[in-house]
Structures are given as structure tokens and as C-alpha cells.
Amino acid sequence: MYLSRKINVFFSITVILLLVVSLPAPMASAQLTDPNCSERKLRDLGVAVINCEGDIPEASRCSVGGSFAGSNNAEVAFNYFRSVGLTPEQSAGIVGNLVAESGVIPNRKQGAGMQTINSPSEIVPGVGFGIAQWTTGGRQANWRQFAIDQGRESETLSLELELDFLLHEFENNSQLGYQGIKDSADMRQATWIFLSFFERPKAVIDAGKAADPVQPTGDNSATNELNNRAGLAQDILDLYGGNSVSTSASGCSGSFNTNEPNYDANPAITVDGSPPGSHKSSNCTGSFTAGAENLRQFVLGAWSPPVTSVGGYSCRSIVGGSATSIHGVGRAIDIMVDATNPEGLRTGNEIRNFLINNADKLGIQRVIWNQKTWTPSKEGWRNYTGTNPHTDHLHVEINIEASKKANLTEGISNGS
């Protein structure tokens, strides 16, 4: 699956600018007036982009896998993997590899120079095609079948379909390294896992490092290949790592921003307490409210695994008090994820970030996680002094207004 031509910063852009490899219509467009815009750097790397002074395709649509948003193929791919829950570093590791493989060009064909195909009929077993340069006949056939199963034959050779298929391969073949990428603590390791497990180019095979989670050392072909792709990944991270993941197309507008928030107070959010008086069973709702159930399903779809379950309904009083718990009125959920292991901690932090960044829309009135808490009435991610440290779950409360909304998370891209 390796494109023999090595991408470098001096690669000619002339042919790329003549290619029609944009996202499917309909799309909005925006004018970039800065002659030194960041897309120029990607263009020099061989990524398919429109001229910096021309119209830039913005977000298209949401998919069965992740969300599509961005001004060029590399940014769309980066945001896609962010929207399914990967960190910026993990996402950059994948996209750096895709830049090296194809320039993130969906109809790219393996071979010297700039070769492309115009129809799936031109795909030949043994010759790589697409953003990941799928080469073997088996994987090419799986790609065709995936398009058929999704009812998307008309989208063949599209960026959206190929990103969805890549994720489909990840989720259905444990030998391709998806778990290893999700476990990666830094960008270079994520880059290596994708290179060693998913791509397995000749340079890695010759060094005896295919499907090996340990990065190569010394002066050899695998190390050289990793250095090249990690450099491309760093370029992607520098360009897009600080952005939130958002979409603006009809039906999927919203934000999937998992950057750490400022933890500002937000007095515009109403905070609703327990029913007045002591706890009694008649105060309880009998199940989650519509909004809490919608949020519960959203979290499961976006972060399970490593989230093991999302529950928490319980008709009871507050721990250490006499009033009915917010759990009893169906407005609190417990998101079960383990803060004592690296993946669980990363995931829990990401969910926390997402909830607080979208607190206005979701009516979030309290988050407790890993001995810390946030409420909209007071600034800061503060120490939590309750008896339960919440290291095995996030406690999340929504207000009454949010609890009535069966479509509470509608318009937020969660990658499910």
C-alpha cells in the first residue's frame, strides 16, 4: 500500500491544482484573502487544495462514521478522526501517513508522478489507490462491498466514502492497529502504529518491523520512513491541532470541541435543584428524562469503548442529605470510565471538555470527574470534596429545560 513517490515540500503543485478532488456539492464557499494562508504549506506537500486566493470548499455533510468539515482534504481528514474521538496527536499521526501515501487524494493511483483514476473500473489488485493506497484485491473488494452496503455506489472515489471505509476497517479488523492508535500517548507513536500496522510499506517490512508496536531505532529504512511521516504529521498538527471540530451543513450543525475549556462561570445556564422537602418516591420520575436519555445514548455512541456503560437512574435521597437526588428525578447520568488508566483518563477528560464546551446547548449544570467539579455558577475546575472521588465515572447533571428535549444533542457531531 505504499506510494513509491515520496512526498516532499518541493513537489510541484501544478497538476494538483488542475485536479477536481473537492467534496461533493452542495457546499458553501469562502474567500481567503491572506496570500500566506496555511493551506499553501499543505499544497507544497502535495495535498489536494484549491488555490489560496480562490474559493475554498467548507463543510459538506455528516456521515455514518465521522463529521466532514474543513477547507481542504487534509483538514477534513484530520477533523474526521477528531470527531470520532481521537486526540489531535492521534489524528495527525493518521493524516500524516495519508499525506505520504496519496496527498489525501481520493482518486490517487500508485505509481511515479501524479497518477489518478476516473472510475472504480480502473482499480487493479496489486496497485494501490485512494487516500490510503489500498492495494490487495481483498481490501479493494471490501471497499466496493462497503459502498454497496451503504447504498453509496455513486460516491466511489470520494473522500467521504474512503474516510468512512478506513474507519470501518479499523473497527472491524483488530490487526490494523486502531486500538494501538487510541492507546498512543503522543503523535510519533500514533504515526508509527498506523505505518506499521495499517500501511506496512516495503521500508517497514524490509526492516522487520511490520505489525510491531515498538518504534524502530538506528539508521534503517523503517526509521527513515517514520521520520518522514512524523514530520508530515507535525505539519498537520501545527495547522489544525488548535481548532475545534465543527460542521455547518444542514442536519449536522454544531460543535464537537474537545479542547480543554477555560472553566468559566456561565450564569446564563439555569441550575435546578431537587424537589422541595424530604425525599419521597413520588418525587421520582421512574426513568431518565428525555434529555438525559438522549445525552446518554449520545455518549455511548461517541465514546464506547472505552466507556463501559452510561447509567445512573436511582430513586433515592442525596448522599448525606434528605432531599431527593438529581439521579431520582432523571436528570443525572453516570458515565463509567476508569481514570486510573491512561486511555480512560484521556477519554474522561475529553468527555468533560465536550460537556463543558457545549454546556449552554446541553443545559449542563454540574460535572464531577476524578476528584474535580465544575458548575456554571462558579469559575474553575475545582477540587471536589465529596466522599466518592469519581475516579470510575463522570457524574453529569442537566437542568429541567434540557431534560425535556428528546433531541437535546441534535446538531452536535459526535461521530456516531
Side-chain angles (χ1 to χ4, degrees), residues 30 73 103 144 189 197 224 230 245 255 260 299 359 364-365 377 399:
N73 290 6
R144 293 176 188 272
Q189 179 65 12
F197 284 80
N224 294 337
V245 179
S255 175
E260 187 165 5
V299 171
I364 303 298
Q365 66 175 39
S377 59
N399 60 26

Side-chain angles (χ1 to χ4, degrees), residues 331-351:
R331 293 192 284 115
I333 62 174
D334 287 335
I335 303 168
M336 307 307 295
V337 62
D338 185 2
T340 64
N341 71 68
E343 183 183 12
L345 180 61
R346 285 197 303 272
T347 300
N349 288 345
E350 188 170 271
I351 297 171

Side-chain angles (χ1 to χ4, degrees), residues 132-203:
Q133 292 293 280
W134 289 281
T135 303
T136 66
R139 293 176 80 174
Q140 291 175 354
N142 290 342
W143 168 79
R144 293 176 188 272
Q145 190 60 50
F146 177 78
I148 293 171
D149 292 344
Q150 295 289 322
R152 298 166 66 183
E153 296 96 320
S154 62
E155 291 182 45
T156 52
L157 302 180
S158 75
L159 179 62
E160 288 97 334
L161 180 65
E162 291 186 15
L163 285 170
D164 279 347
F165 176 64
L166 196 160
L167 182 64
H168 172 78
E169 283 199 306
F170 264 155
E171 294 177 336
N172 290 276
N173 187 342
S174 61
Q175 303 303 308
L176 295 179
Y178 195 30
Q179 188 60 52
I181 290 174
K182 291 192 287 186
D183 290 340
S184 297
D186 58 63
M187 183 198 66
R188 187 177 177 88
Q189 179 65 12
T191 304
W192 170 247
I193 294 297
F194 192 89
L195 174 61
S196 176
F197 284 80
F198 192 95
E199 293 294 350
R200 308 190 190 197
K202 186 175 185 297

Side-chain angles (χ1 to χ4, degrees), residues 13-334:
I13 64 171
T14 304
V15 179
I16 294 174
L17 296 178
L18 296 175
L19 290 173
V20 182
V21 281
S22 58
L23 301 175
M27 293 181 293
S29 65
Q31 190 76 18
L32 292 183
T33 58
D34 180 6
N36 297 312
C37 67
S38 60
E39 277 71 23
R40 187 179 301 281
K41 185 174 185 180
L42 283 175
R43 187 182 66 182
D44 290 344
L45 291 171
V47 175
V49 300
I50 307 301
N51 188 300
C52 286
E53 289 73 40
D55 287 338
I56 302 296
E58 293 178 335
S60 59
R61 59 176 179 77
C62 289
S63 73
V64 297
S67 67
F68 301 112
S71 62
N72 60 70
N73 290 6
E75 185 180 15
V76 170
F78 177 81
N79 288 341
Y80 179 92
F81 292 110
R82 289 288 291 115
S83 77
V84 299
L86 296 185
T87 67
E89 292 77 13
Q90 293 162 355
S91 301
I94 295 173
V95 179
N97 274 281
L98 299 181
V99 172
E101 289 290 325
S102 67
V104 203
I105 298 173
N107 64 336
R108 191 65 174 272
K109 177 183 176 182
Q110 181 180 352
M114 174 63 70
Q115 298 190 35
T116 59
I117 58 177
N118 298 312
S119 167
S121 63
E122 299 176 53
I123 296 172
V124 179
V127 178
F129 86 95
I131 59 172
Q133 292 293 280
W134 289 281
T135 303
T136 66
R139 293 176 80 174
Q140 291 175 354
N142 290 342
W143 168 79
R144 293 176 188 272
Q145 190 60 50
F146 177 78
I148 293 171
D149 292 344
Q150 295 289 322
R152 298 166 66 183
E153 296 96 320
S154 62
E155 291 182 45
T156 52
L157 302 180
S158 75
L159 179 62
E160 288 97 334
L161 180 65
E162 291 186 15
L163 285 170
D164 279 347
F165 176 64
L166 196 160
L167 182 64
H168 172 78
E169 283 199 306
F170 264 155
E171 294 177 336
N172 290 276
N173 187 342
S174 61
Q175 303 303 308
L176 295 179
Y178 195 30
Q179 188 60 52
I181 290 174
K182 291 192 287 186
D183 290 340
S184 297
D186 58 63
M187 183 198 66
R188 187 177 177 88
Q189 179 65 12
T191 304
W192 170 247
I193 294 297
F194 192 89
L195 174 61
S196 176
F197 284 80
F198 192 95
E199 293 294 350
R200 308 190 190 197
K202 186 175 185 297
V204 171
I205 294 172
D206 288 349
K209 295 293 288 181
D212 185 345
V214 179
Q215 294 179 31
T217 57
D219 185 11
N220 57 64
S221 58
T223 301
N224 294 337
E225 193 62 39
L226 173 59
N227 289 340
N228 175 52
R229 297 187 183 216
L232 297 173
Q234 186 63 58
D235 290 336
I236 296 297
L237 188 63
D238 290 345
L239 285 168
Y240 307 121
N243 298 338
S244 64
V245 179
S246 62
T247 58
S248 58
S250 175
C252 57
S253 61
S255 175
F256 191 72
N257 183 354
T258 55
N259 295 319
E260 187 165 5
N262 294 323
Y263 306 111
D264 294 332
N266 193 338
I269 298 175
T270 301
V271 176
D272 296 308
S274 303
S278 299
H279 169 63
K280 53 187 177 182
S281 59
S282 60
N283 288 340
C284 297
T285 55
S287 61
F288 290 113
T289 57
E293 175 62 21
N294 182 261
L295 181 59
R296 188 182 80 86
Q297 294 293 340
F298 180 98
V299 171
L300 282 171
W303 283 286
S304 179
V307 169
T308 57
S309 63
V310 181
Y313 177 79
S314 177
C315 183
R316 60 173 175 80
S317 62
I318 296 170
V319 175
S322 60
T324 299
S325 168
I326 302 299
H327 283 290
V329 294
R331 293 192 284 115
I333 62 174
D334 287 335

